[in-house]
Amino acid sequence: MDLVPKVTSFLTLVFIALSSLEPVVCIRHWQLSSQPLVDEHLVTNLPGQPDVSFKHYAGYLTVNEQSGRALFYWFYEATTHPDKKPLVLWLNGEANMLFLESPVGVGFSYSNTTSDYNILGDEFTANDAYAFLHKWFLLFPSYRSRAFYIAGESYAGKYVPELAELINDKNNDTSRYIDLKGILLGNPETSDAEDWRGMVDYAWSHAIISDETHKIIRQSCNFDSNDPWSNDDCAEAVDELLKQYKEIDIYSLYTSVCIGDSASSDDKFTQIMFTRSSKMMPRIMGGYDPCLDEYAKAFYNRPDVQKALHVSDGHHLKNWSICNTKIFVEWLESRPSVLPIYKKLITAGLRIWVYSGDTDGRVPVLSTRYSLSSLGLPITKAWRPWYHKKEVSGWFQEYEGLTFATFRGAGHAVPLFKPSDSLAFFSAFLLGESLPSVR
């Protein structure tokens, strides 16, 4: 009963941060040979959006020629000194940005072989993302030798470590070497058992469920088993938890839900039937907007937008949606825990930062704390607040090989709630600096 959409198709961010390393001669040759395709992918005008001073590119890269699998990307150069910024792949600022819709079947990404959609899973997705990266490096070769980071939120808690592990394992082949430096994970699914325990305890501690429901779940649910739902008492109590969360936004406990004729959700587990209203909730400029999904869906299905992004000719349109429920339900393979990968990547010396918005009920801060606690890492710097603009942004603790931080008052997608704090946090991660612990 995994609630986080594994296939959320919001154009998933890949932040590219570049170092000042000089590309080698053979890469320069590739750059010349790929220039025509780069020019074809240049976005010259994005309808409804203001003119910008930086370049951005969008289009398809084929990750499997035989089956015709192609992933859609959208790449933004940094506004200043793009040749001196680090490379970060955000799977779900001050850097070049590339959006990737993965796996095939979500957003604009597709396969010409329909059977591909029946075998989608974690390993399949990691392999396609890895193939995409190497195709992308051929298109933008000056980035191949730059410092590379991977970041993401939600189910990317599994995607990111899995892709990082794949890169780390294959880096023995120097011809395909990627200079992976670290990973950044926000409100991440990590370990199924600990994620469920944290979700239950968080719901109880935040008055979503009653003492009685919490007690039944704690006594009857064995989240370590392969099928905790075989116990009827457990299943009924968890259903009660989900029922209560349908009354609010599980991803943001203390903000409004989207109410109006166009309000909808493709998430079959958290779908809520709203009272129809003649008044649409006003947009909230500069803050979290519960109707954001609807705006995105309307925008990316505009003929002129799809033409500008090189996914259609403006007449034969593709149907872009927030989530693909069919793929969600039929997801073939998911690792129950990526904690063994954490240990492997820590041993490899990668920088690992994990953060949690503390008002998210879906992958709550307790889930992440339970998961990280099971690693048994020695603490190097004790729990303390971190600050941004002289205000407490959250709390953090440093371990050997890992940093964990919270964002005070942020929901599931932290940057939507705390954009300025998130940028400061992201910058500290890239620079390898500790978070500010004084006002």
Side-chain angles (χ1 to χ4, degrees):
M1 294 183 68
D2 185 355
L3 297 190
V4 171
K6 302 180 177 69
V7 291
T8 300
S9 63
F10 257 127
L11 294 168
T12 314
L13 299 178
V14 179
F15 290 93
I16 309 290
L18 307 176
S19 72
S20 58
L21 297 176
E22 184 70 19
V24 296
V25 174
C26 61
I27 288 181
R28 286 176 177 163
H29 172 72
W30 294 341
Q31 190 169 19
L32 290 173
S33 64
S34 65
Q35 193 61 45
L37 183 55
V38 169
D39 291 340
E40 289 178 10
H41 287 192
L42 179 66
V43 178
T44 56
N45 176 47
L46 189 58
Q49 304 302 312
D51 292 334
V52 294
S53 59
F54 52 85
K55 290 183 179 180
H56 56 118
Y57 304 81
Y60 286 107
L61 289 179
T62 301
V63 295
N64 187 291
E65 299 286 348
Q66 183 176 357
S67 65
R69 289 202 303 276
L71 296 181
F72 174 76
Y73 81 92
W74 192 352
F75 170 59
Y76 283 77
E77 288 186 347
T79 55
T80 58
H81 305 296
D83 59 332
K84 301 185 190 299
K85 303 290 174 73
L87 175 65
V88 185
L89 171 62
W90 188 313
L91 296 172
N92 65 78
E94 293 176 302
N96 303 295
M97 296 170 59
L98 172 68
F99 299 75
L100 178 66
E101 293 194 317
S102 175
V104 292
V106 302
F108 294 131
S109 297
Y110 69 90
S111 175
N112 290 329
T113 304
T114 56
S115 59
D116 280 348
Y117 300 121
N118 300 324
I119 57 174
L120 295 178
D122 284 12
E123 185 176 0
F124 186 103
T125 301
N127 286 329
D128 270 8
Y130 182 76
F132 167 84
L133 282 174
H134 285 292
K135 285 291 187 74
W136 192 85
F137 284 136
L138 290 175
L139 193 61
F140 297 90
S142 63
Y143 291 78
R144 176 174 286 277
S145 60
R146 312 305 168 119
F148 182 67
Y149 300 85
I150 313 175
E153 297 178 328
S154 193
Y155 196 79
K158 293 189 176 180
Y159 284 154
V160 170
E162 288 163 349
L163 178 57
E165 180 185 39
L166 184 60
I167 292 172
N168 183 69
D169 290 348
K170 290 185 176 293
N171 268 351
N172 291 327
D173 181 354
T174 56
S175 67
R176 297 174 68 80
Y177 183 82
I178 296 174
D179 192 15
L180 179 62
K181 297 296 188 182
I183 60 176
L184 177 67
L185 303 157
N187 289 81
E189 284 204 35
T190 306
S191 169
D192 292 351
E194 303 301 343
D195 288 347
W196 269 110
R197 275 190 275 268
M199 182 182 180
V200 170
D201 288 352
Y202 185 89
W204 172 72
S205 65
H206 286 70
I208 306 301
I209 58 173
S210 66
D211 293 349
E212 292 74 22
T213 298
H214 181 250
K215 182 177 180 180
I216 291 172
I217 294 176
R218 273 305 202 173
Q219 291 180 341
S220 62
C221 292
N222 180 6
F223 294 120
D224 294 303
S225 72
N226 292 327
D227 185 16
W229 320 119
S230 61
N231 182 305
D232 290 342
D233 289 341
C234 170
E236 290 177 5
V238 170
D239 283 345
E240 173 64 20
L241 180 151
L242 300 180
K243 176 184 175 183
Q244 297 307 321
Y245 263 130
K246 287 180 181 180
E247 298 297 321
I248 59 175
D249 185 346
I250 189 174
Y251 300 102
S252 176
L253 265 63
Y254 304 118
T255 55
S256 302
V257 296
C258 184
I259 300 175
D261 291 342
S262 63
S264 65
S265 171
D266 290 324
D267 184 343
K268 66 172 293 193
F269 295 113
T270 58
Q271 187 173 26
I272 305 171
M273 300 303 294
F274 293 102
T275 303
R276 299 179 71 85
S277 171
S278 60
K279 293 184 177 180
M280 189 67 183
M281 178 177 290
R283 297 192 65 171
I284 306 170
M285 302 304 294
Y288 172 68
D289 187 340
C291 299
L292 179 63
D293 290 3
E294 288 302 304
Y295 308 140
K297 185 175 181 179
F299 182 74
Y300 292 118
N301 281 308
R302 285 176 51 172
D304 53 352
V305 170
Q306 292 195 7
K307 186 175 182 179
L309 296 178
H310 310 122
V311 296
S312 77
D313 58 8
H315 300 288
H316 300 87
L317 301 181
K318 289 183 166 53
N319 181 25
W320 189 93
S321 61
I322 299 298
C323 295
N324 186 322
T325 305
K326 183 177 186 297
I327 292 177
F328 175 92
V329 173
E330 298 176 1
W331 195 251
L332 190 64
E333 171 260 336
S334 174
R335 292 199 194 191
S337 174
V338 291
L339 290 175
I341 301 180
Y342 273 55
K343 295 178 181 179
K344 183 176 181 179
L345 298 180
I346 289 172
T347 301
L350 296 188
R351 183 182 308 156
I352 301 176
W353 282 26
V354 182
Y355 63 90
S356 288
D358 63 12
T359 64
D360 173 28
R362 178 51 197 95
V363 190
V365 63
L366 287 183
S367 294
T368 303
R369 295 179 82 166
Y370 291 170
S371 293
L372 297 182
S373 177
S374 68
L375 288 172
L377 299 174
I379 297 171
T380 58
K381 291 186 179 180
W383 189 261
R384 60 202 185 282
W386 68 279
Y387 298 88
H388 179 60
K389 296 181 178 179
K390 299 184 178 181
E391 294 286 347
V392 174
S393 288
W395 284 261
F396 76 117
Q397 186 156 285
E398 296 179 28
Y399 302 84
E400 285 188 8
L402 186 146
T403 294
F404 172 63
T406 69
F407 279 79
R408 185 168 64 99
H412 189 65
V414 168
L416 287 177
F417 299 87
K418 301 287 182 177
S420 181
D421 303 64
S422 296
L423 179 58
F425 180 88
F426 182 66
S427 298
F429 167 73
L430 293 182
L431 294 171
E433 298 178 348
S434 182
L435 292 169
S437 55
V438 294
R439 291 188 188 273

